[in-house]
């Protein structure tokens, strides 16, 4: 409960980094995604699960795009 503001602030920073990108889906999902990776980092005490999650979030749309081309 005490960490809620930190999780939300981290999610907002994550979102701000993604603002201005041409993919509106990426921009709109970056806030909840940022909150999720902040929560995972806090919960596990390690940044590695968040890094793996972020890589996965990048690889899945790229893989889908490759299949559909």
């Amino acid at each position: 409960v005490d960490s809620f503001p930190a999780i939300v602030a981290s999610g907002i920073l994550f979102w701000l980094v993604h603002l201005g990108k041409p993919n509106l889906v990426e921009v709109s999902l970056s806030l909840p995604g940022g909150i999720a990776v902040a929560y995972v980092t806090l919960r596990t005490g390690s940044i590695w699960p968040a890094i793996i999650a972020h890589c996965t979030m990048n690889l899945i749309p790229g893989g889908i795009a490759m299949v559909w081309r």
Side-chain angles (χ1 to χ4, degrees):
V1 176
D2 294 333
S3 56
F4 181 74
I7 292 171
V8 172
S10 180
I12 290 170
L13 287 173
F14 194 83
W15 173 68
L16 288 172
V17 169
H18 290 83
L19 275 182
K21 292 194 174 188
N23 186 338
L24 294 178
V25 173
E26 177 184 353
V27 173
S28 63
L29 292 177
S30 63
L31 179 59
I35 290 171
V37 295
Y39 174 77
V40 167
T41 299
L42 186 67
R43 180 75 187 218
T44 63
S46 172
I47 196 167
W48 289 108
I51 290 171
I52 293 167
H54 190 275
C55 289
T56 303
M57 287 186 262
N58 289 341
L59 289 174
I60 290 174
I64 291 171
M66 287 175 60
V67 168
W68 287 104
R69 285 187 186 171

